[in-house]
């Protein structure tokens, strides 16, 4: 049986003056990432994903953290959850049927049958001017819980899933919902067992406090 530590953070909404202020701190990273300032309504989903990926890599590099490689299985799990949130109108790490990030990673075939692993999931949604990759990443950075996942030294892989529209389903052409899953397969042996208890919008975040085989 695999051992796992999972981390989740309250979903973020990329709007408001505080996010705009945080976005101002991403000037250097944004300059290096084409499309960082372009709202989803004025570009393609693929271009927005590429800009998000670039920004994530840039902010991690600025802090001396290693790169995270794109993983197709993690991306499939993230994309499926983002689409499900928009389709069913919720914004949470736990789906209405009770599935959590660990369940989604297992369904995608990413989790190993033996050994331990670590995963952290962060969500964000925005529309209009708040739907630029720069504003979305700023929304994550301004929250200590989201930032702890985004800037963790533990992961070496990422799955980035993005879909048009927001969970309130009122921004079909100008909105974007993003799920980013950071993860790592760890060494074998006993590990920490963690859970993702988030069950709805505006709940507290959770991080397992037991010893972690993927500790940096």
């Amino acid at each position: 049986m695999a051992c796992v530590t999972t981390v989740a953070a309250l979903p973020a909404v990329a709007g408001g003056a505080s996010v705009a202020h945080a976005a101002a701190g991403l000037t250097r990273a944004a300059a290096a990432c084409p499309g960082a300032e372009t709202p989803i309504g004025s570009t393609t989903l693929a271009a927005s994903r590429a800009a998000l990926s670039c920004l994530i890599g840039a902010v991690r590099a600025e802090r001396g953290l290693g790169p995270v490689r794109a993983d197709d299985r993690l991306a499939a799990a993230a994309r499926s959850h983002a689409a499900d949130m928009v389709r069913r109108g919720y914004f949470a790490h736990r789906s209405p049927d009770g599935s959590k990030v660990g369940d989604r990673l297992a369904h995608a075939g990413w989790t190993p049958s033996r050994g331990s692993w670590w995963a952290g999931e962060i969500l964000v949604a925005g529309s209009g001017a708040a739907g630029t990759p720069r504003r979305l990443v700023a929304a994550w950075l301004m929250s200590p819980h989201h930032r702890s996942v985004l800037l963790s030294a533990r992961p070496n892989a990422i799955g980035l899933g993005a879909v048009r529209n927001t969970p309130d389903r009122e921004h079909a052409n100008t909105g974007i919902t993003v799920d980013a899953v950071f993860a790592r397969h760890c060494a074998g042996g006993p590990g920490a067992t963690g859970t993702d208890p988030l069950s709805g919008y505006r709940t507290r975040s959770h991080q397992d406090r037991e010893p972690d085989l993927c500790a940096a």
Side-chain angles (χ1 to χ4, degrees), residues 16 22 48 50 71 80 114 143 153 158 169 172 176 184 202 213:
S48 287
D71 185 287
S80 175
R114 299 185 63 184
S143 158
I158 184 175
R169 293 173 284 187
I176 186 170
R184 176 183 190 136
R202 301 204 180 284
L213 284 180

Side-chain angles (χ1 to χ4, degrees), residues 5 14-15 24 30 36 74 77 86 99 117 136 144-145 164 174 185 206 215:
T5 297
L74 294 177
V86 169
S99 65
W117 51 274
L136 297 171
H145 299 298
R164 287 188 181 274
T174 62
H185 290 138
H206 166 84

Side-chain angles (χ1 to χ4, degrees), residues 53 68-72 74-75 156-159:
S53 180
V68 284
R69 59 176 174 77
D71 185 287
D72 289 342
L74 294 177
N156 59 11
I158 184 175

Side-chain angles (χ1 to χ4, degrees), residues 100-197:
K100 301 172 292 186
V101 59
D103 301 316
R104 295 189 287 273
L105 297 187
H107 182 74
W110 181 86
T111 55
S113 58
R114 299 185 63 184
S116 59
W117 51 274
W118 179 95
E121 179 181 70
I122 51 179
L123 311 174
V124 68
S127 62
T132 69
R134 182 176 180 174
R135 289 287 290 270
L136 297 171
V137 172
W140 283 332
L141 288 173
M142 68 173 285
S143 158
H145 299 298
H146 294 84
R147 191 167 58 246
S148 71
V149 176
L150 177 61
L151 300 180
S152 173
R154 293 180 177 91
N156 59 11
I158 184 175
L160 195 59
V163 298
R164 287 188 181 274
N165 215 332
T166 49
D168 59 13
R169 293 173 284 187
E170 294 182 357
H171 304 91
N173 297 317
T174 62
I176 186 170
T177 298
V178 182
D179 182 337
V181 179
F182 296 79
R184 176 183 190 136
H185 290 138
C186 312
T193 300
T195 58
D196 173 10

